[in-house]
Amino acid sequence: MADQASLPLCLRLSYSTGHFLNDLCASMWFTYFLVYFHSVLGFDSFYAGVLLLIGQVTDGICTPLVGYESDRHASCLPYGRRKSWHLIGTVSVVLSFAFIFNPCLGCTENTPQWAELIYFIPFIVIFQFGWAATQISHLSLIPELAKNEHDKVELTAYRYAFTVMANITVYAVAWALLHFQEGEETQSDKMDTLGRQDIPIFRTLALIVVGVGALFSLFFHIGTKEKRPSYSHLVDTEDPDAGPLPDEHKPPGPPQPLLLWKHWLVEPSFYQVALLYMCTRLIVNLSQTYIAVYLTRSLHLPKNFIATIPLVMYVSGFVSSFLMKPINKLIGRNLTYFLGLLAIAAFAAWVALDPELGVAVYGAAVILGSGSATILVTSLSMTADLIGIHSHSGAFVYGAMSFTDKVANGLAVVAIQSLYPCHTQICCPACTPFFHWVMVTVTGAVAVVAALSLSSIMIWPVRVRFRHVMRPLP
């Protein structure tokens, strides 16, 4: 019976490629955005943080709105409501992303930074809208394609495996570009620090990301067939303006209540999962955002380490992602997430106790990568569990979860950047301990909050405690 319920390999692979472009761009965005704008283009650290905040807030606002619209228009999009939004998002990302990692066109050395700030904002807004549309539509397909718990875990694990592969691709290409640059430089002009001479590296990397990602998105649209939703077994007695529901492929058994977006807002489990998901994303995204500056400013490592260390992190994450399904079967969701938190806590303790890691940074990167993969896959699976049979409003749930993490990430980055002791490209002695403790805080301190959130879920398990606001058909 389990074999019959398993999804075809072709479907799993084609679905998993649908977020590859987003993952490639996100890898560059989180790992290299601050480094590029502050250390390469020479932006003030606060301005760089503001640009990242604008992107995160745009993403945070767009995700629930796209989710709501995707859930709402169930039958008027012949291509498929999820895939239509995915296509819109893909086109937006392709058209805007390369401009972000390219200097301001027409600007000179005398152009004020506020003018350059205004130049980049439209491209960032378009990119983040596209990223949000692609992410939410892709996530919303999980509960629609997989109808049992283990298939959802497997689909999420495949998705994350491609996420890790995307990150590995970005860091491998970045390493190759940096290595090629070093080979061209003579010993006299060789520079181990980042500067404007590295602009071609990031421009080339962005173009490669867009080209490769677009090909994988094409494979997703060809290989993934979206099923038309059937809502004849769902009843909405609260919203007479919602219009008639499709009446096709009616399943046996009594009708079930239709859970609209507004009903999620009164579900306690909705907030439990949202808090856990937000903490998970804070750990994963902030550690990815500050790992490059931590390596160059706190550990004073050569610039090629901004590619090799993240690469080590995501190779370990890639291996860990394939262990998620058997571990979930063996010990369950909650304990699997707890194991990931233990790895994150071990990394934070190691960094806190050893300010000068040296070559040991490779071991710390393995621990952080494994822990991040574990908590991210598990938190996404918990979200899919929360949605359950209510996939018709699943996009709103994913959008709301993403809203919390994007806004929290943006505010956290601006707060950190405003406390940054140096506002120029030249690093002062205070930078060394500053980013050391940033890495400890964004992993260890946030992991404590995540543990408290996990405790609430273990006491009050995740499920829809649906109020009697609906009634089945007579």
Side-chain angles (χ1 to χ4, degrees):
M1 200 67 181
D3 291 337
Q4 294 177 353
S6 181
L7 295 171
L9 178 61
C10 182
L11 175 61
R12 281 176 282 168
L13 290 176
S14 64
Y15 169 80
S16 302
T17 62
H19 207 252
F20 200 72
L21 172 62
N22 263 22
D23 291 328
L24 290 169
C25 294
S27 179
M28 278 199 71
W29 175 267
F30 285 111
T31 307
Y32 298 132
F33 185 88
L34 291 181
V35 169
Y36 176 72
F37 276 89
H38 180 60
S39 299
V40 177
L41 294 186
F43 269 59
D44 180 272
S45 61
F46 180 73
Y47 280 174
V50 168
L51 281 175
L52 193 142
L53 174 63
I54 290 171
Q56 295 300 97
V57 170
T58 301
D59 192 351
I61 292 173
C62 289
T63 41
L65 293 179
V66 170
Y68 172 74
E69 288 298 320
S70 176
D71 290 334
R72 185 179 173 209
H73 298 290
S75 58
C76 64
L77 296 173
Y79 186 59
R81 55 176 181 163
R82 310 302 189 195
K83 289 181 66 177
S84 296
W85 278 102
H86 189 284
L87 182 60
I88 293 171
T90 299
V91 173
S92 300
V93 170
V94 169
L95 293 178
S96 61
F97 185 73
F99 288 96
I100 298 174
F101 285 90
N102 198 54
C104 171
L105 299 177
C107 295
T108 65
E109 294 182 358
N110 298 323
T111 303
Q113 283 196 1
W114 63 263
E116 295 187 65
L117 193 80
I118 294 174
Y119 168 85
F120 283 108
I121 287 176
F123 296 113
I124 290 174
V125 169
I126 294 172
F127 161 65
Q128 290 292 0
F129 161 75
W131 202 98
T134 305
Q135 180 202 33
I136 295 307
S137 57
H138 193 255
L139 280 173
S140 302
L141 280 170
I142 293 179
E144 294 190 3
L145 296 177
K147 296 301 182 182
N148 65 73
E149 178 180 334
H150 296 306
D151 279 348
K152 289 175 184 177
V153 174
E154 188 172 36
L155 211 54
T156 304
Y158 268 81
R159 181 182 187 274
Y160 186 73
F162 272 84
T163 298
V164 176
M165 288 173 62
N167 282 274
I168 291 172
T169 301
V170 170
Y171 301 136
V173 173
W175 177 86
L177 292 173
L178 288 166
H179 185 73
F180 179 75
Q181 181 197 50
E182 289 181 359
E184 287 187 333
E185 292 173 343
T186 63
Q187 197 64 30
S188 59
D189 62 6
K190 184 176 178 180
M191 299 179 66
D192 281 335
T193 57
L194 291 166
R196 293 193 69 87
Q197 74 276 1
D198 297 303
I199 288 176
I201 290 178
F202 290 95
R203 179 196 298 129
T204 304
L205 182 59
L207 291 173
I208 293 173
V209 160
V210 170
V212 173
L215 289 176
F216 275 83
S217 294
L218 179 63
F219 180 64
F220 162 79
H221 281 275
I222 293 174
T224 304
K225 306 301 179 185
E226 181 179 349
K227 300 176 183 177
R228 274 186 90 76
S230 176
Y231 297 150
S232 58
H233 64 302
L234 301 172
V235 184
D236 176 16
T237 61
E238 270 195 355
D239 191 358
D241 299 324
L245 296 174
D247 187 22
E248 51 196 37
H249 308 297
K250 183 176 181 179
Q256 301 294 322
L258 175 63
L259 204 63
L260 302 177
W261 68 269
K262 55 190 174 183
H263 300 129
W264 287 109
L265 301 179
V266 295
E267 288 293 341
S269 290
F270 176 79
Y271 296 98
Q272 287 178 289
V273 176
L275 178 59
L276 190 73
Y277 184 79
M278 183 187 74
C279 292
T280 301
R281 282 295 188 177
L282 279 172
I283 293 171
V284 174
N285 292 345
L286 289 180
S287 62
Q288 187 177 357
T289 299
Y290 284 101
I291 188 67
V293 286
Y294 168 67
L295 294 169
T296 55
R297 298 295 173 96
S298 292
L299 299 183
H300 304 293
L301 296 171
K303 61 186 179 184
N304 63 295
F305 273 76
I306 69 173
T308 55
I309 295 302
L311 181 61
V312 170
M313 287 171 52
Y314 278 93
V315 167
S316 63
F318 179 76
V319 174
S320 300
S321 66
F322 287 104
L323 301 177
M324 292 300 101
K325 186 176 181 179
I327 292 176
N328 268 275
K329 281 185 176 181
L330 184 64
I331 63 177
R333 296 264 200 275
N334 296 337
L335 290 180
T336 302
Y337 189 92
F338 183 69
L339 285 179
L341 281 184
L342 287 180
I344 299 295
F347 169 84
W350 194 349
V351 172
L353 296 174
D354 190 0
E356 298 181 4
L357 284 176
V359 72
V361 71
Y362 286 99
V366 170
I367 295 174
L368 179 60
S370 300
S372 297
T374 302
I375 62 175
L376 186 56
V377 170
T378 309
S379 65
L380 286 171
S381 298
M382 288 180 176
T383 307
D385 288 342
L386 174 67
I387 295 170
I389 63 171
H390 306 286
S391 60
H392 51 277
S393 57
F396 171 78
V397 176
Y398 282 118
M401 300 294 169
S402 185
F403 174 80
T404 61
D405 97 73
K406 296 301 189 302
V407 175
N409 271 285
L411 293 175
V413 167
V414 167
I416 293 171
Q417 292 298 107
S418 64
L419 296 173
Y420 182 44
C422 301
H423 293 275
T424 62
Q425 287 176 286
I426 302 174
C427 185
C428 67
C431 292
T432 299
F434 178 78
F435 287 113
H436 168 80
W437 289 110
V438 164
M439 286 302 297
V440 173
T441 302
V442 301
T443 53
V446 181
V448 172
V449 181
L452 294 175
S453 178
L454 179 65
S455 300
S456 75
I457 291 177
M458 295 179 75
I459 297 172
W460 299 286
V462 172
R463 67 175 182 272
V464 175
R465 300 169 177 87
F466 195 60
R467 301 164 6 268
H468 298 291
V469 296
M470 310 250 184
R471 61 180 183 273
L473 286 172

